Amino acid sequence: MCGIIGYVGPRQSQDILLSGLSRLEYRGYDSAGIAVIDGDGGLGMRKRAGKLAVLRDDLASTPLADGTTGIGHTRWATHGGPTDANAHPHLADDDKLAVIHNGIIENFAELKSELIGEGVTFRSETDTEVAAAMIGREYSRTGDLVSAFRAVVSRLEGAYTLLAMHKDHPGLVVGARRNSPLVIGLGEGENFLGSDVAAFVEHTRKALAIGQDEIVAITPEGVEVTDFSGAPVEVEAFEVTWDASAAEKGGWSSFMAKEVSEEPEAVANTVRGRIHEGRVEIPELDGMDEFLADIDRILVIACGTAAYAGMVGKYALETWTRVPVDVELAHEFRYRDPVLSPRTLVVSISQSGETMDTLMAVKYARSRGAKTLSICNTQGATIPRESDAIVYTHAGPEVAVASTKAFVAQITALYLLALHVGRVRGAIDPVAAVDAVTELEAIPGKIARVLETEQGRIEQLAHWMADTRSVLFLGRNVGYPIALEGALKLKELAYIHAEGFAAGELKHGPIALIEPGQPVFVVVPSPRGSGEMHKKVVSNIEEIRARGARVIAIAEEGDVAVLPAADEVLRIPLAAPLFEPLLAVVPLHIFAMGLAEAKGLDVDQPRNLAKSVTVE
Ligand code: F6R
């Protein structure tokens, strides 16, 4: 779970590497390093435990010699703790070869013993240094870096992207990928490699997606891609649709603050181009009508926040398509014997498109004969490339570790999918479909209103609650996954105990947690949707209030029934019941961010977490 960048071209590479790494830091931030082949043909390397800023300061006080070929790495530790020694790059071949790596080499222990038997000594505890030593050993036999890669990759098991350069070959960076991301950036007289396009988007928007089990060699003049056996392969070109400024903080206190403010846009951009004459038509699904009309089950697989988006989506999918829907955590799905058939549509949801648990579940579903559709926010990422169909969310780059704008975009994409499939199957009444489209188009404006009217108040509340040790979240129906999302955000950002419950479940156990002063957020369904459900949730509020809970209700404008029962009421604009989650989640995102900030924590990079979880 690391970020990697490679550069060859006419420019001094250090700044390019450091600025690329700053955009990749979301992938890992416990240590960082760069290596550069300098103008005199020497190989300079610097690596430091800690955030990128530590490396940056170190280089500012004692710079490396300039050079125009370089590789850089930002790490999230797997093998070996976050120390200077374990940081990448790792050197081999008498320190003439530098290697960086993302992923896990599963058979590294056995390979390491083999190398130790040959007299190789190691300076780190990493699996990467083993790969570096193997590439160095092969290179010293042939003097050819690409063929050294080819010989080594056939012996590595697990998931990896490896980049290497050798001081005897300035102007050449070689990379290989298996189950880990790598993309090529094409410049004028310069080329780039990166874990994703954020690594090089400030220099070029032209990119090539490298497939699994492929090796790439970049020089300033060109790019060559072969499979692991050496046969040339065609690579798919794509244009990055966002620019570098979209990945900058743009004056906000944190990426998370910026990304929450972009929630309206994330929904609007995901809807854009998918509504024609008032009906949803997803162009990416052209040609799939026959299959979609015939499916008998939808299975949604995802992890974390993306899985909660899936749980929200289930309500819309079942309502509008009348196809049964199950939502499952990707890591649970894969290790049992699920019932799948060619009529099952497996929908994966992933912001990064690289989550290993989700990727492996997609591959597994495919191998069992199901059709797979990826809802993803990252162009050219692995999960969409491994799927039969793709519906991209257009939330723009999400840098903060905690997913926010991608969450609302994922729900939006699921709703679009539900309306598309419902139409194809003739399962949704055309008038209901038009109403749903009207609602969806109005959502960005309504989210903007929540931000405008409630943000200050919620931040104030979070500030007052900075010493809170535990917060509970209750919701019912579509509000239930929102309660789970509110709790997850608070755990990961503010490091306090938080739990989300289905409100109806209270009396089956969780009510025992209520003691005087216990804060409880309650997502209150609209009284206009199901009056009965609304009444039940208001009764739940009364039950917990009677036991001393401090209730913060999220309720629609004009719902006066909650007033006597709640201590605080956060208002959301009126929306049809299925669309309320897109509004109700916004105060919870703001609250978690506000409380973490009030505690002085780093909301963009919470401890122990990385943005893209590329290990199982
Ligand atoms: C929580 C969060 C995570 C991710 C999960 C899946 O705020 O961000 O729970 O949602 O790790 O990541 P993706 O969507 O990249 O597959």
Side-chain angles (χ1 to χ4, degrees):
M1 201 142 39
C2 307
I4 60 186
I5 177 168
Y7 174 76
V8 285
R11 294 190 278 164
Q12 297 306 331
S13 59
Q14 286 185 56
D15 288 346
I16 293 173
L17 297 176
L18 287 174
S19 84
L21 289 180
S22 70
R23 290 209 173 85
L24 292 177
E25 221 187 349
Y26 72 87
R27 300 180 60 85
Y29 39 79
D30 61 31
S31 47
I34 61 169
V36 171
I37 300 176
D38 65 44
D40 300 328
L43 190 146
M45 190 268 284
R46 186 73 46 77
K47 52 186 188 173
R48 288 286 172 264
K51 293 194 174 173
L52 184 62
V54 177
L55 175 71
R56 206 187 270 282
D57 290 349
D58 191 305
L59 286 165
S61 62
T62 9
L64 290 178
D66 281 339
T68 58
T69 304
I71 55 178
H73 188 270
T74 176
R75 179 168 189 250
W76 187 82
T78 50
H79 284 90
T83 61
D84 285 355
N86 288 333
H88 303 205
H90 291 279
L91 303 182
D93 193 24
D94 295 330
D95 294 351
K96 290 182 283 188
L97 174 83
V99 175
I100 54 177
H101 165 223
N102 171 34
I104 291 183
I105 297 166
E106 283 165 4
N107 58 336
F108 90 104
E110 154 198 339
L111 297 169
K112 191 169 181 174
S113 328
E114 176 186 312
L115 289 158
I116 290 172
E118 291 175 16
V120 178
T121 51
F122 289 93
R123 290 172 274 197
S124 77
E125 303 152 276
T126 63
D127 49 350
T128 310
E129 200 183 359
V130 173
M134 290 175 74
I135 297 170
R137 181 176 62 180
E138 290 300 327
Y139 176 84
S140 60
R141 286 180 190 152
T142 61
D144 179 341
L145 197 51
V146 174
S147 64
F149 256 75
R150 204 170 295 136
V152 169
V153 288
S154 64
R155 297 209 51 207
L156 303 180
E157 287 165 20
Y160 52 83
T161 300
L162 285 163
L163 293 196
M165 57 180 203
H166 195 285
K167 87 190 239 314
D168 294 345
H169 300 280
L172 173 71
V173 174
V174 179
R177 81 171 284 211
R178 166 169 281 177
N179 293 331
S180 220
L182 184 64
V183 279
I184 305 169
L186 294 177
E188 298 286 329
E190 59 182 2
N191 288 305
F192 306 80
L193 291 170
S195 297
D196 69 43
V197 295
F200 49 74
V201 71
E202 67 185 300
H203 309 291
T204 179
R205 293 216 223 157
K206 283 197 202 134
L208 298 175
I210 307 172
Q212 296 297 352
D213 293 358
E214 288 176 3
I215 292 176
V216 55
I218 59 165
T219 61
E221 297 78 38
V223 164
E224 262 180 41
V225 184
T226 53
D227 64 17
F228 278 3
S229 69
V233 288
E234 284 287 312
V235 277
E236 190 190 315
F238 65 95
E239 186 87 14
V240 183
T241 54
W242 45 273
D243 63 16
S245 67
E248 305 281 4
K249 260 191 238 175
W252 293 89
S253 58
S254 62
F255 278 109
M256 185 173 178
K258 173 178 178 263
E259 287 158 13
V260 169
S261 81
E262 289 168 347
E263 289 188 357
E265 226 178 307
V267 173
N269 288 342
T270 301
V271 171
R272 188 160 295 128
R274 288 163 171 169
I275 294 178
H276 302 278
E277 293 167 9
R279 57 185 223 164
V280 173
E281 283 171 24
I282 304 180
E284 296 92 316
L285 303 183
D286 274 359
M288 283 184 75
D289 284 9
E290 208 178 315
F291 167 73
L292 292 173
D294 194 44
I295 53 176
D296 63 2
R297 183 172 170 230
I298 297 174
L299 177 62
V300 180
I301 47 176
C303 301
T305 283
Y308 299 150
M311 286 170 72
V312 175
K314 172 183 163 95
Y315 292 87
L317 281 162
E318 287 192 336
T319 305
W320 292 330
T321 68
R322 304 311 302 149
V323 177
V325 179
D326 294 303
V327 182
E328 200 163 341
L329 294 170
H331 35 90
E332 288 295 320
F333 163 75
R334 192 180 156 218
Y335 291 103
R336 55 187 186 81
D337 191 9
V339 180
L340 295 169
S341 84
R343 292 177 68 196
T344 309
L345 172 65
V346 172
V347 177
S348 69
I349 311 171
S350 176
Q351 187 288 130
S352 60
E354 300 295 348
T355 299
M356 187 56 82
D357 290 316
T358 310
L359 172 63
M360 297 318 272
V362 168
K363 286 187 171 181
Y364 180 68
R366 259 185 125 178
S367 73
R368 299 283 299 265
K371 268 241 179 338
T372 54
L373 182 151
S374 154
I375 292 182
C376 182
N377 196 43
T378 310
Q379 289 171 295
T382 311
I383 295 173
R385 289 166 54 75
E386 294 284 337
S387 302
D388 298 298
I390 312 167
V391 176
Y392 279 117
T393 47
H394 296 297
E398 194 177 63
V399 177
V401 164
S403 194
T404 53
K405 62 175 178 172
F407 177 69
V408 290
Q410 286 161 349
I411 296 175
T412 305
L414 285 160
Y415 281 27
L416 290 167
L417 178 66
L419 291 166
H420 180 100
V421 177
R423 175 180 56 74
V424 168
R425 296 171 69 85
I428 181 168
D429 167 58
V431 178
V434 170
D435 288 350
V437 165
T438 311
E439 285 282 349
L440 200 50
E441 287 181 318
I443 289 294
K446 292 182 184 178
I447 298 180
R449 196 150 97 224
V450 179
L451 290 167
E452 226 170 85
T453 58
E454 302 295 286
Q455 182 144 10
R457 222 154 68 77
I458 299 166
E459 282 167 354
Q460 185 65 254
L461 186 68
H463 198 79
W464 290 330
M465 288 173 68
D467 293 332
T468 304
R469 308 266 305 266
S470 153
V471 182
L472 304 180
F473 294 81
L474 298 181
R476 192 164 187 142
N477 194 261
V478 279
Y480 169 44
I482 296 305
L484 296 176
E485 165 68 0
L488 175 63
K489 282 292 171 292
L490 202 55
K491 278 182 241 197
E492 70 172 324
L493 294 171
Y495 317 152
I496 59 176
H497 170 249
E499 297 262 2
F501 299 106
E505 195 66 7
L506 255 189
K507 56 192 174 299
H508 300 288
I511 199 162
L513 289 170
I514 306 295
E515 54 186 19
Q518 170 67 53
V520 186
F521 276 80
V522 185
V523 181
V524 183
S526 162
R528 297 165 307 115
S530 156
E532 206 191 334
M533 206 161 63
H534 176 263
K535 271 196 211 120
K536 292 214 161 101
V537 173
V538 174
S539 307
N540 292 143
I541 297 181
E542 275 156 3
E543 278 156 23
I544 55 174
R545 192 96 185 291
R547 287 159 180 82
R550 179 158 178 242
V551 175
I552 303 133
I554 299 173
E556 74 173 21
E557 288 162 359
D559 178 357
V560 287
V562 294
L563 285 175
D567 296 273
E568 302 279 347
V569 183
L570 305 173
R571 292 295 184 184
I572 56 172
L574 273 55
L578 274 176
F579 293 85
E580 282 168 8
L582 288 163
L583 307 176
V585 76
V586 181
L588 299 182
H589 284 166
I590 300 170
F591 177 73
M593 176 170 69
L595 201 131
E597 275 170 352
K599 290 179 77 176
L601 299 172
D602 180 344
V603 294
D604 285 340
Q605 296 181 341
R607 70 183 179 202
N608 304 338
L609 291 168
K611 181 72 180 159
S612 183
V613 187
T614 53
V615 289
E616 277 188 274

